[in-house]
Amino acid sequence: MQDSPGTGGLRRSAPVSRRDALRLATAVSALAGLGVAAASAGAPRASAAAPTLIDFAQRQIPARDIRSAGHSGVINYVSTSRPGSTFGAKPITLPYARELTAAGLVIVSNFQYGKPGGTAPSDFTRGYAGGVADARTAWQLHTAAGGGRSAPVFFSVDDDIDRNAWNTLALPWFRGINSVIGVQRTGIYAGINPCQWAIEDGVIGRSGTPGRAWAWQTRSWSRGQVHPAAVLYQRIVSTASNPGPVVGGIEVDVNDVLAQDCGQWNMHP
């Protein structure tokens, strides 16, 4: 993967001091109890002590199980299942969103329909017109489930792409998304380079936390680095060879909250 020309500010995760650990433990309580993400902007990045959100597709996990496992909320899909598959958590529904909210859990929206090697091609390969269509679908499902009118949707680049693929495929797709919901409501899920390119090209919005953008970064394809503008970091990616933790009977991915404003619905009515 080509290096971005603007990645000089990247840094590896820092160790957690005792004071930071205590502060972040308090943040976890506030996040779960009040529904407001409270990880300090100055907190160590990708730290296991940070508040965490889980993402999953197989089925809806009861809110009580998420709380019992110590997580502060979910990143849930505002997209439907690909042909030939049936994922119970796609899309998020209004009753489930209400259950999560009533339990004091926060919700962040993500769109992913296609997948590399799947029954539908990767969404970012569908160009400007595909971005328009995907944004319309995402926003309809997001608002139908009670998502905030100013909340972002994180659109997935779930592949290890180079700068040429970004320029010719993903960038036009994001511009199509922008044409429907605007830059400020557009976020990205990706490895570190596409997150950087999305910021440079001005196709994702800014968090209310200073210095942060709507970048949900996965550890995949990120070479152990965390972008300083990311609001979420997917620290555990569940795979067949490396399963994630089990919550409510299914394996999940785990994401560290890196900013007070990570795009959660309740902060963006």
Side-chain angles (χ1 to χ4, degrees):
M1 187 157 60
Q2 296 178 3
D3 289 331
S4 166
T7 58
L10 304 178
R11 56 194 180 205
R12 296 184 182 275
S13 303
V16 185
S17 70
R18 183 174 182 275
R19 183 176 66 180
D20 285 332
L22 290 172
R23 184 177 71 244
L24 286 168
T26 301
V28 171
S29 176
L31 177 56
L34 301 177
V36 178
S40 168
R45 289 159 177 77
S47 161
T52 51
L53 308 182
I54 57 173
D55 67 275
F56 47 90
Q58 184 177 341
R59 60 176 172 78
Q60 295 174 345
I61 300 174
R64 63 180 180 275
D65 293 335
I66 298 171
R67 287 294 305 270
S68 296
H71 301 292
S72 300
V74 305
I75 305 168
N76 216 142
Y77 290 100
V78 289
S79 52
T80 57
S81 298
R82 293 181 292 279
S85 62
T86 303
F87 294 111
K90 299 180 73 170
I92 189 171
T93 62
L94 181 59
Y96 186 53
R98 286 175 171 167
E99 176 190 337
L100 295 169
T101 301
L105 299 169
V106 302
I107 305 168
V108 174
S109 288
N110 168 240
F111 180 92
Q112 183 174 357
Y113 178 71
K115 181 179 181 179
T119 55
S122 295
D123 303 323
F124 71 86
T125 65
R126 303 194 317 112
Y128 186 94
V132 170
D134 291 342
R136 287 174 177 166
T137 297
W139 199 247
Q140 188 276 322
L141 294 171
H142 169 88
T143 54
R149 294 281 174 168
S150 63
V153 176
F154 292 82
F155 291 83
S156 300
V157 179
D158 195 11
D159 205 349
D160 185 11
I161 67 172
D162 62 17
R163 190 61 185 260
N164 181 65
W166 170 262
N167 289 338
T168 59
L169 297 173
L171 182 56
W173 181 62
F174 272 101
R175 287 182 171 151
I177 293 166
N178 294 163
S179 74
V180 176
I181 64 173
V183 171
Q184 184 51 33
R185 291 184 295 187
T186 303
I188 186 173
Y189 164 87
I192 194 165
N193 279 3
C195 288
Q196 175 66 24
W197 299 330
I199 294 168
E200 290 176 350
D201 289 329
V203 292
I204 61 172
R206 294 283 175 177
S207 163
T209 301
R212 303 287 179 154
W214 297 139
W216 170 20
Q217 183 190 333
T218 176
R219 67 178 297 174
S220 302
W221 320 301
S222 290
R223 307 180 303 281
Q225 298 174 312
V226 181
H227 197 286
V231 292
L232 293 162
Y233 179 70
Q234 192 178 54
R235 174 168 46 87
I236 298 176
V237 183
S238 183
T239 63
S241 60
N242 189 26
V246 174
V247 179
I250 64 173
E251 296 165 8
V252 301
D253 301 333
V254 179
N255 305 271
D256 293 327
V257 177
L258 305 181
Q260 288 183 325
D261 180 5
C262 64
Q264 62 269 46
W265 291 6
N266 60 305
M267 285 191 70
H268 297 274

